[in-house]
Amino acid sequence: MGSRFPSHQLSNGLYVSGRPEQPKERTPTMSSVAMPYTGGDIKKSGELGKMFDIPVDGSKSRKSGPINNAPSRTGSFGGAASHSGPIMPNAASRASYSTSGPVSSGVTSGSASLKKSNSGPLNKHGEPLKKSSGPQSGGVTPSGRQNSGPLAPALPTTGLITSGPISSAPLNSSGAPRKVSGPLDSMGSMKIPSSVPHNQAITVLSQDEDFDFKRNFPKPIFCCVAALFGWNTFWGRKAIISYIARYPDAELRNAKNGQFVKISGVVTCGNVPLESSFQKVPRCIYTSTSLYEYRGWGSKAANPTHRRFTWGLRSLERRAVDFYISDFQSGLRALVKTGYGARVTPYVDDSLAIDVNPGKEELSPEFIRWLAERNLSSDDRIMRLKEGYIKEGSTVSVMGVVQRNDNVLMIVPPPEPITTGCQWAKCIVPASLDGIVLRCEDASKNDVIPV
């Protein structure tokens, strides 16, 4: 039809006035797509799967251009996709997407620009899609589907691609889930089991429940052992002296080499005689001088093991040298080796005992001299001095091993200690005698035989 106004026909057959518009170059558009959750499956990771020649799920491929009458559904995030060009209504109603260009709908001419832009997937109503706290399935899931059960607290969408199920557990400093043992509450905090130390139904055990010898030792037996120990402490020395006295004497003439014997006779000094320290008795073969102190409630101890209300040893001088003994029965003389560091067990009675109390009497000049020579102070202490010795010409009993070397007869210490055995009648336990045994009574009371 003719008209003076220019007109043109549209593609749908309608005639409109005006001249057709010249085609313009379309401004290139850029779209951002929220990356779908892969769940650790490399087949759902898109380009990463292609790098390792792994087939990719076709339902998650990105498309460009018109979409025919087919619904577009993707993974667990509701099928997020990016399109450029016209989109059919069938596809627009079932997909959640974000666009940044013109979108055509149906046969409507012109272009429309969406104002909404989301950094994450949207449901069919245009609202952010909620995430479930459990792992998503890899199949086709509608965009608006929600899982039943407890939901994790809403976390801000970061757009990061992670592997593994979404967990509500607490994170450490590096962003990884913290490994905890025990039950967790809904906020991921760890519950510590409460202890019940005050419950009457629970018995709290201690170290005392273990085996203890003292506690398991029978009390009656323990009392008997304590009584036996005290009895032997008091009567032990007298029992040993009685054992030496009962031991039979031997003759040096008939004694064999290596035989343990007891010889009784008169002693004479050897090359090195001794002198007692306090009384200054000359030509001795054995001397012993000891100083004891009594400890009261406020006095000092004489030694580290000194107990109160007892006598404690403060100083001891005991010496022995080689000497000769003449056998009463045979008249032979033997050299007794008690010097040069030999082992000796003396049972010699003390010939002197002096009690000193500085608080009641003055000290004798001899005692003060003896203390000064040994750098000992009195300090108003109650003291007791004892001295014993074996001087030349005294009668002595000697127990040892006979040793014959050429024409020299000697008595030497035994290689092993000897035992006295049990004395059941007196409730005396066995005692050990180490080295040469010397037995001498009070030398001051005995008659000295000149030699």
Side-chain angles (χ1 to χ4, degrees), residues 268-283:
T268 57
C269 294
N271 297 329
V272 182
L274 296 176
E275 183 183 50
S276 63
S277 62
F278 185 76
Q279 300 181 74
K280 301 298 182 180
V281 178
R283 300 193 63 82

Side-chain angles (χ1 to χ4, degrees), residues 7 31 217 254 285 370 407 435:
S7 63
S31 62
F217 198 81
N254 300 327
I285 60 137
W370 188 85
N407 293 326

Side-chain angles (χ1 to χ4, degrees), residues 174-232:
S174 61
R178 185 190 309 164
K179 295 182 180 180
V180 295
S181 60
L184 300 177
D185 56 8
S186 60
M187 297 303 294
S189 60
M190 183 172 61
K191 294 181 179 179
I192 301 176
S194 60
S195 59
V196 284
H198 302 293
N199 194 337
Q200 296 182 355
I202 298 176
T203 301
V204 180
L205 303 179
S206 63
Q207 187 69 19
D208 296 337
E209 303 300 328
D210 294 342
F211 177 78
D212 188 6
F213 177 77
K214 293 182 179 180
R215 184 166 50 87
N216 291 276
F217 198 81
K219 296 299 186 298
I221 297 179
F222 183 77
C223 295
C224 294
V225 171
L228 186 64
F229 177 79
W231 177 267
N232 280 265

